[in-house]
Amino acid sequence: MSTAQAPEASGAAESPGAPAAPEASDKGLRSGSVGLLGTVALGLASVAPAYSFAVTLGFVTLVAGDLAPAALLVGFVPILLTAFAFRELNRSMPDCGTTFVWGTRAFSPYLGWLSGGWVVQVCTVIAMTALAQVASAYLLDVIGLDAFTDDTWAVAGTGVLILALVTVIAYRGISIAAGIQYFLLGLQLAALLTFGIAAFAQHGEAAGALSPTLSWLNPLGFDGWGVFAQAVLLCLYIYWGWDALITVNEETKDSANTPGRAAVISTVVLLATYLFTAYAAISYAGVGSDALGLGNEDNAADVVATLAPGLVGSGLAAVLKLSVAISAIAALLTCGVSTSRGTLSMAAHGAAPARFGRIHPRYATPGFGTAFFGTAAALALVVLSALSGDFLGDAIGSVGLLIAFYYAITGYACVWYFRRDLREGPRDLLFKGILPLIGATMMLAAFGRSAYDMWQPDYGHTSVFGVGGVFLLGIGSILLGVVVMLAYRPRARRFFAHGRAEVARVTVTDDVLAG
């Protein structure tokens, strides 16, 4: 029997003067496998910057016009503030369950299970379907089978094959995944840099071109709170994914500090990358609704495919398209790694079936969980493709809603858990209290306003019985989680009755760790 002791759950943080941060519980993962650079690479790759830029900037521009850079900047603020919350909570409780564990310790096992367990996993599975669809369409285009990119089932079938491939890689181990991510991330960043430089170099050659100005960063220029909230929520999706690096905290070197540092570094790198490419794209194509304009709805779902041929020629455009496909595949790989580790933590704490906590004896990975979520994403891709061939925009919108929900819970959990530390000094007050509180409140406000708007049947591409499909995917997922949680409660009586103590003192039995 392997046991790991952590301080008792008291509803407050341990004393700042404690000699050392608590060690992550031994769940059978291979500790010390990844350093700071590898962790940053995993975080950036999970965001899939090339993919996120290609499929999100157009939607943001449709809402915000030339204030899209302002939306990216404002959307970054709650992301950065939430990253500080992740950093502080990870220092105190390094656990691959992240928000599940932190929400349970700070509030209750019910909120921890719903926000950090169910919502995070559903959010990731929905995102994986969108990633697989984009990767499939781009690959078919690059290899000369572009005639099939409009065939829903050809795209879905190729997406399923891609999901199978990344599931196998994630199954084999975190070290292999991190090594592959170095190459994939480097290609993405090089592609975005090439795209941006080419757009600036050819400024003025396309109809509708605009001269770059600092006014594009003005957050006070939005036409109403609804537009502002919608644009920021879309930007949450373009940044989302960096927190996947926290789920490998039990496999990193210096698990109490490395993931937190990597979280802050990765978010800042993302901001710089997105602002550069957004300015380049808008200055080159403008925000008009004709031709190449980013305000043209026909261009919204794929900015790179629209602009690249005219910027760099068909040959290099194919390379840029390939980088988007690779970006999506890299993000899928990180999703496969992170999602299974979340349920591993839940199983270790008695909040999920024990099979999710079984570690492969050779690869030291949660084998069942990895295979389960790869299969779940493939099934979701097939089902959503059958319901609507154009679900990408709705999926992005619903994921943004779910992101805002569990990020808000994480921020508030940080403030509440460390509430007795806030008088210890300016640093504790700022990083454990004020900044996470502001970030969480911004997330909650964006969630509430966007949920209200998403109810309308004309919001997004689909609707069911007069209700917007984005609302049904987002809010419906949360409500379904409540039903599943209540149905599962009898099988996890100990966790739901004593969850705060359970996540503070973990005992992982031999049958859980057995391969």
Side-chain angles (χ1 to χ4, degrees):
M1 178 177 293
S2 174
T3 61
Q5 302 295 326
E8 291 287 350
S10 61
E14 288 71 36
S15 170
E23 292 294 327
S25 60
D26 181 9
K27 301 181 183 68
L29 297 169
R30 186 170 289 139
S31 62
S33 300
V34 188
L36 177 61
L37 183 59
T39 307
V40 171
L42 284 171
L44 289 173
S46 66
V47 176
Y51 153 81
S52 297
F53 172 79
V55 304
T56 309
L57 180 64
F59 292 114
V60 176
T61 307
L62 284 177
V63 174
D66 59 12
L67 289 176
L72 289 169
L73 185 61
V74 175
F76 170 76
V77 172
I79 290 291
L80 179 63
L81 302 186
T82 303
F84 288 132
F86 271 83
R87 184 185 68 181
E88 299 303 322
L89 287 166
N90 180 73
R91 281 178 174 172
S92 179
M93 296 174 282
D95 190 291
C96 61
T98 60
T99 299
F100 158 70
V101 168
W102 305 333
T104 298
R105 284 290 298 274
F107 299 124
S108 77
Y110 292 94
L111 190 56
W113 193 97
L114 180 64
S115 63
W118 176 267
V119 168
V120 172
Q121 309 309 332
V122 170
C123 185
T124 306
V125 169
I126 293 176
M128 289 175 74
T129 63
L131 287 165
Q133 187 203 40
V134 168
S136 174
Y138 268 90
L139 277 180
L140 289 173
D141 187 12
V142 169
I143 64 177
L145 298 177
D146 50 296
F148 293 97
T149 57
D150 292 328
D151 186 326
T152 299
W153 293 112
V155 172
T158 307
V160 169
L161 293 177
I162 293 172
L163 282 166
L165 173 63
V166 298
T167 299
V168 170
I169 296 174
Y171 189 91
R172 292 293 299 271
I174 186 64
S175 296
I176 295 176
I180 293 174
Q181 294 290 30
Y182 285 129
F183 169 74
L184 300 182
L185 178 61
L187 180 59
Q188 291 181 65
L189 295 180
L192 287 176
L193 181 63
T194 300
F195 178 91
I197 292 174
F200 277 126
Q202 299 179 52
H203 174 260
E205 295 185 14
L210 298 175
S211 298
T213 171
L214 290 177
S215 66
W216 294 354
L217 294 173
N218 180 17
L220 301 179
F222 289 96
D223 185 18
W225 168 243
V227 173
F228 177 84
Q230 186 179 351
V232 170
L233 196 71
L234 284 168
C235 289
L236 293 184
Y237 183 81
I238 206 171
Y239 289 113
W240 174 68
W242 57 267
D243 52 308
L245 62 86
I246 304 290
T247 65
V248 299
N249 51 13
E250 297 185 45
E251 296 157 271
T252 59
K253 300 172 183 177
D254 188 11
S255 62
N257 295 303
T258 296
R261 293 170 183 163
V264 175
I265 292 172
S266 63
T267 54
V268 173
V269 171
L270 286 171
L271 174 65
T273 301
Y274 288 148
L275 285 180
F276 172 73
T277 48
Y279 256 85
I282 293 173
S283 65
Y284 171 75
V287 295
S289 58
D290 300 325
L292 296 179
L294 299 186
N296 185 341
E297 292 188 2
D298 294 334
N299 302 335
D302 199 337
V303 171
V304 170
T306 299
L307 302 183
L311 283 174
V312 295
S314 58
L316 194 51
V319 176
L320 291 178
K321 292 179 181 179
L322 179 62
S323 73
V324 174
I326 289 176
S327 176
I329 293 172
L332 277 173
L333 177 57
T334 313
C335 286
V337 169
S338 65
T339 308
S340 59
R341 280 152 180 78
T343 47
L344 166 65
S345 178
M346 295 179 71
H349 295 102
R355 67 183 66 182
F356 283 101
R358 291 174 184 163
I359 299 297
H360 193 282
R362 178 180 178 184
Y363 303 126
T365 61
F368 175 82
T370 303
F372 176 87
F373 284 106
T375 303
L379 290 174
L381 176 58
V382 172
V383 171
L384 288 175
S385 296
L387 293 175
S388 171
D390 188 22
F391 68 84
L392 181 60
D394 287 358
I396 290 174
S398 67
V399 168
L401 203 62
L402 296 174
I403 294 167
F405 178 79
Y406 86 83
Y407 275 4
I409 296 299
T410 304
Y412 287 127
C414 180
V415 176
W416 186 250
Y417 182 79
F418 291 115
R419 65 191 183 279
R420 296 177 186 172
D421 285 0
L422 302 184
R423 299 178 181 177
E424 297 296 329
R427 185 205 176 277
D428 287 325
L429 177 62
L430 184 64
F431 290 105
K432 296 179 180 179
I434 295 175
L435 297 183
L437 179 62
I438 294 174
T441 302
M442 291 179 69
M443 293 286 187
L444 187 62
F447 174 88
R449 174 64 198 221
S450 297
Y452 173 81
D453 292 336
M454 289 173 181
W455 173 270
Q456 303 303 318
D458 58 350
Y459 191 103
H461 297 89
T462 59
S463 65
V464 179
F465 301 120
V467 179
V470 181
F471 181 92
L472 291 176
L473 276 173
I475 300 298
S477 295
I478 297 174
L479 295 178
L480 179 61
V482 174
V483 174
V484 173
M485 178 178 64
L486 295 178
Y488 186 72
R489 182 175 59 177
R491 298 187 59 187
R493 294 181 184 275
R494 182 177 178 83
F495 170 76
F496 285 107
H498 310 287
R500 297 180 69 192
E502 287 297 310
V503 299
R505 181 182 290 110
V506 180
T507 299
V508 185
T509 58
D510 292 337
D511 65 314
V512 170
L513 292 180

